[in-house]
């Protein structure tokens, strides 16, 4: 059966959509002659139109579906017509492959209703039973539990979810369909600004207050840049208009707020023309990165550069961090001073360098900054200016790529850094396997929890692997047979990885599997 | 084996005891999570994966229950129709305990199949619970064992559908009280001015008392705008055109508010500006509409243009009016007399100042219609006072008796006047007569209001009056001006008799003629008291869902397994699907998807 239609459901926000561009590149490589259909929310249609390789966009209007079901006596028939009409869309029927990039139960059930031959990602079944097909999708889900240990950028995970190992090396330029330079130039002229005059774009808004750099800091930046002949344009939605005005006022007119005044097409044009994008971890920052504009990202609260740094070479990130890493998404901002950790003087220093208005910082820069680089496989490398905090990431990524891809027999280069993780893995595998052999009936989630608790003290990689394992077990139906099957499948990957590790690092030693089975 | 002591503990009637004792043992089958499950006649009654989910399930019947109506009871009786192995008993016990912590709880499980009851008693999955649990076979459930009024009936069980008719037949003799739904959202837009304006407020208050979520859309501030518009031109057609524009605008206000608050019902009293186009729009939005036409149908005839656009029409007159409405094609027509608002119309202790201000031997409150002008010019009514501002300037009666000429009297002042005056004269308006209208039928609001205030009144004879009050005992009626004069003289001289009649009238008004009573009746008439969903709920019947399925054969096939006349919610479908097994079909996934997004909307407060 030919894969004539490949449907992707992505009910997330603009930033996540933009970070999925290599995913579509991967899909295109796998299915060169198929129609690639993207299902997204109506508010993000314009964002979706930028994505490369997507042939058709279908919007799913959640409000229209939900409104008739508003109360116990709600009109099921009206909702049924809405749901039926959506599913009857000619671009969704007879889908051969379906990818679910959202991880909510609602999206999972939507995918079940679209009913494709093969579904990847989270899928909801009867009685809330879930399944998640595709190891990279499983890994993506597991990062919710082990976020601080995740060594991949979201762009990379999404790309690998496509099923193509080389997706990151595929061309994934955004389309130019939604770009309106003409009208935004006119808007700038109204403010006495000239299109060719150098300007930067500031993005002070964010989805939550605990992700925002203070308004006063943006205003100070704008004043300082203005003294260097660079104007600052503030962008955002209508909800950011108050914030934009405040910065404009505090900057004494050095910054001009366009919040709520630009269409998405105009924002696109503006970001393409800007010399720099300075802002919080948001959709516009990722759009700037995608169109090749240098970014200075301000990562505050739950925003974590390791997950969502602007993908590409030469971006700079200031990561405000508590000692134990970024906040939890659901955490309310308390007494933490992370916003103050990012100093205006440090950001200005970098901004001026990027704009070519100041010499490159010395090794003894005033604050730690993180810069982005790409390795030969297209993976993002973060380099901290004053510490080695991201040093182990490449090795961790290597191991994960080995585990999550079906390349168990392939030879690979193992650095000395990896051997430490290999030892931990071996111990973990042996422990679980021994338990399975002693009394499989006692293998209950509580036992796995206990094991994980003991092992998570070991190192971040084992922690993330344990979370991945637990997720796989949680996804399995709660029946001993299914449970063991899932565990064994996971262990086989684990052991294969561990064996490769031990054999490579300790070529004279006894393979770990032999010891574990004894 | 079934322990005999258990059988006698849980089953109290001999017929059920015998049948359950003699029933065959069903072998225990287990779900994937190792818990007992049950398939009966090919229908799965409990989940084959995780039946324990039923321990934490919800009951729509309890969600829709008007708690305030039940919580006064010392004991709560609940009847569970077709509970299968009894997982639901524990869940029900927990929910009832949280709702009625102070009450004694009793749960009766009605079971059609003796073998299922036997299995449930062998397993006793619900133990321990606080409620007094007993089992009874549906066929043995008769008058002797039937439950008291106020009983909560739970039909949302896995086993109900299979033997629904038997269960309904079994409980047919029970007198479970209808309960008014708690989550009903009602919008009450007001007229711009006039006598029906306060009635709208009274209705809204009454709906609130019944536990509905009610919003008043006060349109009286736009009265000034209407007056300005009318003053702009003397040209009749242009004036009418301006008025139409204003009505359209006000109608849109109503539609906008109704949609925004996600109203289930828009309740409009007569004179509320609601255009046919707006009513059509509300119908498209699946918002029910009701008109309470509290006017004389022969005097004010705009009902002809709007009646069929409303889903329900309530009237204060019947007979020929109802015939005329039905001839027009109005489907749902109901007689609903006016009433009193006990919060406004109540006996009051007045100060000496208030007595001086509002008191007199006899008084009349109201507008100067033709018959009133004539009667009050002729009749000798002692120390007589007229209250109200809508009188012609040339009326000699008004010039002679008006206490505050031209001044408007508020509803609160009316109540003080009814309380302060010895004899309240109540004369129904007529523009065609010079005295009492001999063909008058409906009863005006003043009749109920004076009665509820504990005031004494003499009221002109009306055809509907005898159905509402005991004439001669609760109300004294006159038919001619001469009778009015005689009765006035008599009752002014007999204060004890006056007080006795007034007290009886007050008791009657407060027990039978409040707006809360009327609105309860109206809700019942619209079908809201019997079921926790929309009136007639044609949107959710399986037949209508099959229509909505269009040409989708898979959906139709899925829906056809349910009775066409059954009313199903998304939750009902979800329960059915959860209890099934195997891979989800596309149709099943579609219904579960609707449920998932609905739940998501509720969690985020997007929907109620």
């Amino acid at each position: 059966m030919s894969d004539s239609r490949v449907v992707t459901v992505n009910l997330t926000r603009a930033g996540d959509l933009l970070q999925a561009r290599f995913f579509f590149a991967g899909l295109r490589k796998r299915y060169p002659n198929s129609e690639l259909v993207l299902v997204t929310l109506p508010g993000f249609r314009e964002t979706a139109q930028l994505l490369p390789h997507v042939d058709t966009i279908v919007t799913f209007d959640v409000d229209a579906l939900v409104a008739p079901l508003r109360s116990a006596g709600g009109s099921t028939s009206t909702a049924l017509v809405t749901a039926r009409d959506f599913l009857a869309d000619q671009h969704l029927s007879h889908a051969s492959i379906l990818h679910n990039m959202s991880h909510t139960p609602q999206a999972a059930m939507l995918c079940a209703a679209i009913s494709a031959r093969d579904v990847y990602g989270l899928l909801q079944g009867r009685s809330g039973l879930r399944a998640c097909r595709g190891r990279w999708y499983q890994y993506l889900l597991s990062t919710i539990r082990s976020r601080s240990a995740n060594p991949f950028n979201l762009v990379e995970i999404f790309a690998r979810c496509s099923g193509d190992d080389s997706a990151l090396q595929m061309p994934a330029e955004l389309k130019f369909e939604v770009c309106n330079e003409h009208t935004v130039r006119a808007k700038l002229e109204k403010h006495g600004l000239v299109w060719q005059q150098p300007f930067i774009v500031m993005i002070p808004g964010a989805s939550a207050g605990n992700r925002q750099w203070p308004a006063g800091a943006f205003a100070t930046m704008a004043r300082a840049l203005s003294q260097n002949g660079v104007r600052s344009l503030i962008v955002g939605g209508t909800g950011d208009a108050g914030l934009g005005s405040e910065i404009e006022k505090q900057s004494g007119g050095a910054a001009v707020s366009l919040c709520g005044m630009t269409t998405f097409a105009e924002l696109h044009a503006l970001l393409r023309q800007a010399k720099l994008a300075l802002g919080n971890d948001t959709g516009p920052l990722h759009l700037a990165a995608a169109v090749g504009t240098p970014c200075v990202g301000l990562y505050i609260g739950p925003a974590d550069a390791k997950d969502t740094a602007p993908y590409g070479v030469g971006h700079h990130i200031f990561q405000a961090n508590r000692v134990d890493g970024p906040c939890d998404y659901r955490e309310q901002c308390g007494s933490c001073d992370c916003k103050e950790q990012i100093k205006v003087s440090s950001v200005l220093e970098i901004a001026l360098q990027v704009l070519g208005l100041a010499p490159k910082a010395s090794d003894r820069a005033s604050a730690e900054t993180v810069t982005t680089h790409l390795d030969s496989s297209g993976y993002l490398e973060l380099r901290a200016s004053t510490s080695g905090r991201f040093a182990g990431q490449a090795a961790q990524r290597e191991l994960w790529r080995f585990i999550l891809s079906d390349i168990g027999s392939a030879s690979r280069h193992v650095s000395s850094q990896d051997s430490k993780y290999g030892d931990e893995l071996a111990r973990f595998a042996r422990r679980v396997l021994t338990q399975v052999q002693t009394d499989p009936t006692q293998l209950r989630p509580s036992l796995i929890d206990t094991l994980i608790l003991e092992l998570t003290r070991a190192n971040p990689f084992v922690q993330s692997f344990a979370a991945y394992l637990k997720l796989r077990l949680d996804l399995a139906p709660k029946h001993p047979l299914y449970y063991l099957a899932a565990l064994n499948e996971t262990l086989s990957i684990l052991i294969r990885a561990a064996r490769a590790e031990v054999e490579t690092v300790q070529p004279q030693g006894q393979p770990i599997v032999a010891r574990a089975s004894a | 084996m079934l322990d005999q002591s258990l059988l006698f503990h849980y089953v109290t009637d001999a017929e059920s005891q015998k049948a359950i004792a003699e029933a065959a043992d069903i072998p225990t089958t287990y779900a994937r999570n190792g818990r007992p499950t049950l398939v009966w006649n090919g229908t799965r009654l409990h989940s084959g994966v995780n039946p324990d989910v039923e321990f934490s399930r919800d009951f729509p019947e309890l969600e829709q229950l008007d708690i305030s109506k039940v919580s006064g009871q010392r004991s709560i009786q609940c009847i569970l129709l077709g509970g299968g192995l009894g997982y639901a008993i524990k869940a029900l016990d927990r929910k009832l305990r949280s709702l009625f912590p102070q009450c004694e709880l009793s749960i009766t499980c009605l079971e059609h199949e003796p073998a299922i009851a036997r299995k449930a008693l062998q397993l006793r999955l619900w133990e321990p619970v606080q409620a007094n649990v007993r089992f009874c076979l549906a066929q043995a459930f008769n008058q002797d064992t039937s439950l008291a009024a106020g009983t909560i009936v739970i039909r949302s069980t896995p086993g109900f559908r299979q033997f629904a008719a038997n269960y309904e037949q079994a409980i047919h003799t029970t007198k479970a009280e209808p309960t008014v739904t708690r989550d009903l959202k009602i919008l009450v837009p007001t007229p711009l001015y006039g006598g029906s304006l306060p009635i709208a407020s009274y209705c809204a208050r009454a709906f609130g008392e019944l536990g509905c979520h009610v919003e008043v859309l006060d349109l009286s501030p736009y009265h000034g705008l209407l007056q300005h518009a009318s003053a702009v031109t003397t040209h009749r057609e242009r004036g009418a055109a301006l008025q139409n524009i204003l009505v359209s605008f006000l109608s849109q206000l109503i539609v906008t508010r109704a949609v925004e608050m996600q109203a289930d019902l828009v309740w409009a009293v007569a004179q509320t500006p609601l255009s046919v186009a707006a009513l059509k729009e509300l119908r498209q939005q699946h918002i029910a509409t009701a008109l309470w036409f509290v006017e004389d149908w022969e005097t004010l005839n705009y009902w002809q243009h709007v009646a069929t656009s409303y889903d329900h029409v309530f009237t204060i007159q019947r007979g020929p009016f109802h015939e005329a409405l039905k001839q027009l094609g109005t489907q749902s027509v109901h007689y609903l007399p006016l009433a009193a608002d006990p919060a406004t119309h109540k006996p009051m202790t007045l100060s000496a100042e208030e007595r001086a201000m509002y008191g007199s031997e006899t008084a009349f409150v109201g507008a100067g219609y033709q018959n009133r002008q004539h009667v009050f010019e002729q009749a000798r009514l002692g120390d007589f006072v007229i209250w109200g501002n809508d009188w012609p300037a040339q009326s000699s009666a008004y010039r002679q008796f008006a206490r505050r000429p031209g001044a408007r009297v508020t509803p609160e002042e009316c109540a003080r006047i009814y309380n302060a005056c010895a004899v309240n004269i109540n004369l129904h308006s007529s523009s065609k007569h010079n005295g009492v209208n001999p063909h008058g039928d409906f009863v005006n609001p003043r009749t109920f209001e004076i009665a509820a205030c504990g005031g004494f009144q003499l009221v002109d004879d009306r055809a509907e009056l005898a159905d509402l009050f005991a004439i001669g005992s609760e109300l004294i009626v006159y038919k001619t001006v001469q009778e009015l004069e005689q009765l006035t003289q008599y009752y002014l001289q007999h204060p004890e008799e006056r007080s006795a009649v007034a007290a009886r009238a007050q008791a009657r008004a407060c027990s039978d003629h409040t707006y809360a009573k009327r609105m309860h009746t109206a809700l019942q008439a619209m079908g809201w008291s019997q079921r926790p969903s929309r009136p007639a709920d044609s949107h959710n019947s399986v037949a209508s869902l099959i229509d909505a399925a269009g040409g989708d054969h898979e959906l139709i096939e899925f829906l056809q397994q349910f009775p066409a006349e059954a009313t199903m919610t998304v939750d009902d479908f979800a329960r059915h699907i959860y209890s099934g097994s195997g891979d989800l079909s596309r149709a099943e996934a579609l219904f579960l998807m609707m449920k998932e997004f609905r739940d998501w909307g509720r969690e985020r407060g997007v929907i109620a």
Side-chain angles (χ1 to χ4, degrees):
Chain A
M1 185 176 173
S2 68
D3 299 324
S4 59
R5 181 167 291 145
V6 180
V7 175
T8 301
V9 172
N10 190 326
L11 303 184
T12 54
R13 300 173 65 85
D16 296 74
L17 274 175
L18 290 165
Q19 291 172 99
R21 61 191 187 278
F22 289 99
F23 165 83
F24 290 104
L27 281 191
R28 175 55 72 214
K29 191 177 171 203
R30 285 200 73 177
Y31 312 105
N33 301 315
S34 301
E35 179 191 11
L36 299 188
V37 181
L38 170 62
V39 178
T40 189
L41 297 169
F44 301 118
R45 175 180 271 279
E46 284 185 314
T47 311
Q49 282 172 339
L50 296 179
L51 291 169
H53 311 295
V54 174
D55 299 309
T56 309
I57 296 164
V58 177
T59 55
F60 178 61
D61 191 344
V62 178
D63 293 338
L65 176 73
V66 163
L69 297 170
R70 58 184 177 251
S71 64
S75 175
T76 312
S77 56
T78 307
L80 182 66
V81 170
T82 306
R84 184 206 67 192
D85 287 352
F86 170 75
L87 294 173
D89 189 300
Q90 56 169 331
H91 298 291
L92 299 181
S93 56
H94 308 297
S96 41
I97 311 281
L98 191 146
H99 281 261
N100 177 16
M101 301 189 78
S102 315
H103 54 258
T104 62
Q106 300 83 41
M109 197 50 87
L110 174 71
C111 291
I114 289 175
S115 178
R117 190 191 66 203
D118 291 321
V119 181
Y120 295 93
L122 197 62
L123 185 66
Q124 188 106 342
R126 203 184 296 276
S127 301
L129 199 65
R130 292 183 202 171
C132 185
R133 190 169 166 204
R135 286 185 183 145
W136 282 91
Y137 277 113
Q138 290 169 349
Y139 176 78
L140 178 63
L141 268 180
S142 76
T143 58
I144 296 168
R145 291 169 191 262
S146 61
R147 202 167 152 242
S148 61
N150 165 41
F152 293 101
N153 185 281
L154 196 56
V155 170
E156 296 157 2
I157 303 174
F158 282 162
R160 299 305 301 266
C161 284
S162 72
D164 188 274
D165 293 348
S166 59
L168 285 168
Q169 286 147 328
M170 292 280 294
E173 290 289 308
L174 293 185
K175 291 176 189 167
F176 203 68
E177 285 176 12
V178 188
C179 188
N180 196 338
E181 186 184 308
H182 179 69
T183 54
V184 77
R185 284 176 77 146
K187 283 182 184 174
L188 291 191
E189 280 163 17
K190 274 189 186 172
H191 286 88
L193 301 168
V194 181
W195 183 247
Q196 284 79 14
Q197 188 186 343
F199 66 83
I200 75 155
V201 166
M202 286 183 168
I203 309 149
S207 57
N210 62 350
R211 301 169 73 104
Q212 292 178 354
W213 204 36
F218 278 104
T220 310
M221 278 293 296
R223 277 201 304 271
L225 288 168
S226 177
Q227 286 164 8
N228 286 276
V230 179
R231 296 297 296 268
S232 300
L233 304 181
I234 307 162
V235 299
T238 47
D240 301 316
L243 179 62
S245 303
E246 192 188 333
I247 297 169
E248 193 178 70
K249 194 174 157 191
Q250 285 190 32
S251 71
V256 174
S257 174
L258 298 174
C259 293
M261 295 179 205
T262 52
T263 62
F264 185 80
E266 290 169 346
L267 175 68
H268 184 192
L270 211 55
L271 287 167
R272 278 184 180 273
Q273 179 70 8
K275 300 291 177 204
L276 171 75
L278 167 71
N280 304 312
D281 179 17
T282 54
L285 191 74
H286 293 292
L287 179 56
V291 298
T293 300
C295 296
V296 174
L298 306 159
Y299 282 59
I300 299 163
D304 189 350
K306 281 205 280 97
D307 288 350
T308 54
Y311 183 82
V313 181
H315 302 302
H316 297 260
I317 298 134
F318 287 86
Q319 173 78 62
N321 254 350
R322 299 190 313 195
V323 177
D324 52 349
C327 312
D328 187 88
Y329 284 110
R330 293 150 295 188
E331 205 169 320
Q332 293 295 316
C333 210
S335 56
C336 156
D337 65 343
C338 68
K339 289 184 184 184
E340 278 69 42
Q341 286 178 13
I342 301 177
K343 304 288 182 203
V344 173
S345 56
S346 310
V347 179
L348 181 64
E349 189 182 331
I350 294 295
L352 290 173
Q353 283 172 30
V354 174
L355 293 166
L357 299 169
K360 192 175 180 298
S362 67
D363 289 344
R364 305 175 75 183
S366 53
E368 181 176 87
T369 57
V370 179
T371 50
T372 60
H373 305 264
L374 292 180
D375 71 11
S376 57
S377 303
Y379 285 83
L380 197 69
E381 273 188 26
L382 300 179
R383 290 182 198 157
S385 60
T386 57
S387 76
R389 63 200 282 198
F390 302 110
Q393 265 198 308
Q396 241 176 287
R397 274 202 301 270
E398 271 294 301
L399 262 174
W400 268 115
R401 286 168 62 188
F402 182 74
I403 290 168
L404 295 171
S405 303
D406 286 317
I407 50 170
S409 56
S411 62
R412 67 192 182 94
H413 169 75
V414 178
S415 67
S416 58
Q417 181 73 35
D418 289 356
S419 65
K420 191 172 72 179
Y421 302 122
D423 291 346
E424 297 290 354
L425 264 178
R427 277 197 284 275
F428 184 55
R430 191 166 57 230
R431 185 79 180 272
V432 177
L433 204 62
T434 305
Q435 184 62 51
V436 173
Q437 287 166 347
T438 311
D439 186 359
T441 58
Q442 292 304 307
L443 197 66
R444 290 277 181 265
S446 57
L447 177 71
I448 299 293
D449 279 340
T450 311
L451 286 173
I452 287 170
L453 196 69
E454 285 177 30
L455 289 161
T456 46
R457 297 193 195 99
N459 66 44
F461 176 65
V462 173
Q463 183 188 347
S464 63
F465 186 86
Y468 172 72
L469 172 65
K470 187 160 169 31
L471 178 97
R472 286 185 64 87
L473 294 175
D474 283 353
L475 288 169
K478 298 289 181 291
H479 185 278
L481 284 176
Y482 287 87
Y483 202 79
L484 281 176
L487 181 68
N488 283 336
E489 187 194 345
T490 310
L491 283 176
S492 70
I493 304 165
L494 170 72
I495 291 161
R496 201 165 56 206
R499 180 171 51 190
E501 181 69 29
V502 173
E503 283 174 350
T504 314
V505 177
Q506 301 172 322
Q508 307 304 316
Q510 208 164 5
I512 186 70
V513 172
R515 274 188 280 157
S517 307
Chain B
M1 286 296 292
L2 177 61
D3 190 317
Q4 286 297 300
S5 61
L6 274 171
L7 181 65
F8 287 105
H9 173 76
Y10 280 110
V11 187
T12 53
D13 72 289
E15 190 182 340
S16 298
Q17 281 171 356
K18 185 169 184 293
I20 294 170
E22 290 173 356
D25 273 328
I26 310 171
T28 309
T29 52
Y30 295 96
R32 280 183 191 170
N33 72 340
R35 302 286 291 171
T37 186
L38 184 63
V39 177
W40 190 258
N41 284 351
T43 300
R44 181 170 284 288
L45 298 187
H46 299 293
S47 166
V49 177
N50 180 15
D52 282 343
V53 292
E54 290 184 43
F55 281 141
S56 55
R57 56 170 298 192
D58 288 323
F59 298 90
E61 293 90 344
L62 294 182
E63 285 170 24
Q64 302 303 328
L65 193 66
D66 183 354
I67 303 295
S68 63
K69 287 180 82 73
V70 189
S71 56
Q73 297 173 196
R74 283 177 57 195
S75 63
I76 300 295
Q77 296 205 0
C78 201
I79 181 166
L80 191 66
L81 306 180
L85 295 181
Y87 285 101
I89 297 173
K90 198 175 187 71
L92 185 58
D93 177 72
R94 188 163 48 240
K95 296 282 176 191
L96 289 172
R97 268 190 286 132
S98 66
L99 289 172
F100 311 106
Q102 306 298 328
C103 298
E104 286 177 22
L105 305 175
S106 161
I107 299 172
T108 297
C109 302
L110 215 57
E111 185 51 68
H112 180 266
E113 287 295 333
I116 295 178
R118 182 183 173 88
K119 190 78 212 171
L121 289 170
Q122 284 171 333
L123 295 168
R124 297 184 307 286
L125 297 165
W126 59 86
E127 288 183 342
V129 288
Q130 211 172 67
N132 176 27
V133 177
R134 72 184 178 101
F135 274 70
C136 182
L137 293 182
Q139 53 272 36
F141 193 72
N142 54 34
Q143 286 285 13
D144 299 326
T145 50
S146 69
L147 302 177
T151 299
I152 301 164
V153 180
I154 304 289
R155 292 178 174 84
S156 58
T157 59
F160 174 71
R161 195 173 294 120
Q162 205 172 11
F163 303 108
N166 304 67
Y167 287 126
E168 294 295 357
Q169 194 182 352
I171 61 161
H172 188 62
T173 51
T174 60
K175 293 181 174 61
E177 251 186 10
T179 50
V180 172
T181 54
R182 190 178 49 177
D183 64 344
L184 202 59
K185 290 183 179 174
I186 302 176
L187 178 68
V188 182
T190 73
L192 275 67
Y193 65 102
S196 49
L197 174 58
I199 293 174
S201 306
Y202 302 150
C203 291
R205 189 175 4 238
F207 281 130
E209 284 170 17
L210 292 172
C212 304
H213 171 80
V214 62
E215 245 189 67
V216 177
L217 184 61
D218 184 7
L219 300 178
S220 63
Y222 296 94
H223 183 211
L225 187 60
L226 181 71
Q227 285 176 317
H228 280 298
S230 306
V232 165
T233 176
T234 52
H235 194 281
R236 196 175 165 166
E237 280 179 18
R238 281 186 207 134
L242 284 173
Q243 204 168 330
N244 283 342
I245 291 169
L246 189 57
V247 168
S248 297
F249 166 70
L250 295 173
S251 297
Q252 271 311 308
L253 284 187
I254 296 170
V255 172
T256 303
R257 194 61 217 132
V259 170
E260 206 150 289
M261 76 175 277
Q262 300 176 347
D264 294 289
L265 169 70
V266 173
W267 175 265
V269 296
Q271 311 263 36
T272 303
L274 201 42
S275 66
V276 170
L279 288 164
K280 197 175 167 187
E281 212 174 325
L282 289 169
R283 191 168 279 176
Q284 282 168 352
Q285 294 284 340
H286 305 297
I287 297 170
T289 54
L291 168 68
W292 194 12
F293 195 74
V294 292
E295 299 283 357
D296 185 347
W297 71 293
E298 288 177 293
T299 307
L300 204 68
N301 58 9
Y302 84 94
W303 53 267
Q304 297 172 14
H305 309 294
V306 296
T308 52
S309 301
Y310 281 94
D311 296 314
H312 309 276
V313 176
F314 296 86
T315 66
I316 56 172
Q317 291 156 295
R318 38 190 165 180
F321 187 23
H322 280 200
E323 284 168 25
L325 283 167
K326 282 177 180 167
Q327 268 190 351
L328 274 179
T330 316
Q331 297 290 322
S332 170
V333 180
H334 311 274
Y335 170 65
L336 190 71
L338 283 154
D341 174 37
T344 311
H345 310 114
K346 57 193 174 190
M348 296 171 176
T349 307
L350 300 176
S351 65
E353 263 184 18
E354 284 175 319
R355 288 209 164 273
M357 188 183 295
Y358 299 114
S360 63
E361 279 188 346
T362 55
F364 172 79
V365 185
Y369 284 87
Q370 179 186 323
N371 64 332
R372 290 170 180 168
Q373 291 177 43
H374 275 272
V375 168
F376 298 140
E377 273 167 21
Q378 294 167 26
R380 291 171 191 170
L381 301 169
D383 171 25
F384 178 60
V385 171
I386 292 176
W387 296 89
N389 59 341
D390 205 359
W391 282 73
Q394 72 277 13
S395 164
S396 61
Y398 192 63
R399 282 205 300 272
Q400 191 180 347
F401 300 121
R403 178 159 291 182
R404 287 194 325 215
R408 187 176 162 268
V409 186
T410 66
E412 290 70 29
E413 282 182 308
C414 284
R416 285 186 167 73
I417 294 163
Y418 300 149
N419 269 276
C421 178
V423 175
N424 289 285
I425 309 296
N426 187 358
L427 175 59
H428 286 76
S429 63
S430 174
S431 304
K432 295 174 184 167
H433 302 87
N434 288 331
V436 173
N437 176 359
H439 311 296
D441 52 359
F442 71 89
V443 176
N444 64 14
R446 198 175 298 107
T447 310
F448 303 100
E449 291 168 3
I450 297 171
C453 284
F456 175 80
Q457 66 181 307
L458 295 173
V459 57
D460 55 330
D461 195 19
R462 307 289 288 180
E464 295 286 6
L465 208 50
D467 275 353
L468 300 163
F469 290 91
I471 306 299
S473 166
E474 295 169 353
L475 278 186
I476 306 301
V477 172
Y478 63 91
K479 290 182 177 170
T480 63
V481 177
Q482 288 73 28
E483 273 186 38
L484 172 63
E485 285 178 330
Q486 287 164 11
L487 288 166
T488 304
Q489 291 309 316
Y490 178 83
Y491 280 103
L492 281 173
Q493 288 162 15
H494 295 86
E496 295 84 358
E497 280 191 47
R498 230 167 49 212
S499 300
V501 171
R504 287 193 288 270
Q506 201 233 343
R508 172 68 61 198
C510 290
S511 68
D512 292 355
H513 306 311
T514 63
Y515 282 96
K517 286 272 177 189
R518 296 289 187 262
M519 296 307 104
H520 187 264
T521 306
L523 288 175
Q524 277 187 316
M526 290 184 281
W528 260 302
S529 297
Q530 278 85 27
R531 33 168 199 278
S533 51
R534 289 170 172 257
D537 222 334
S538 56
H539 309 306
N540 290 354
S541 74
V542 170
S544 70
L545 291 172
I546 289 173
D547 287 344
D552 191 322
H553 299 299
E554 198 183 332
L555 256 181
I556 292 168
E557 198 177 314
F558 170 75
L559 289 164
Q560 278 174 340
Q561 63 184 304
F562 307 101
E565 67 282 1
T567 298
M568 302 276 287
T569 65
V570 168
D571 291 310
D572 293 331
F573 286 114
R575 267 191 291 276
H576 173 86
I577 296 164
Y578 290 150
S579 66
S581 58
D583 289 340
L584 277 178
S585 70
R586 185 178 139 275
E588 288 177 323
L590 188 148
F591 276 98
L592 291 184
M593 177 190 88
M594 283 161 57
K595 182 185 180 298
E596 287 287 358
F597 279 101
R598 195 272 322 267
D599 292 348
W600 169 87
R602 281 185 178 164
E603 269 174 37
R604 279 151 188 80
V606 178
I607 56 170

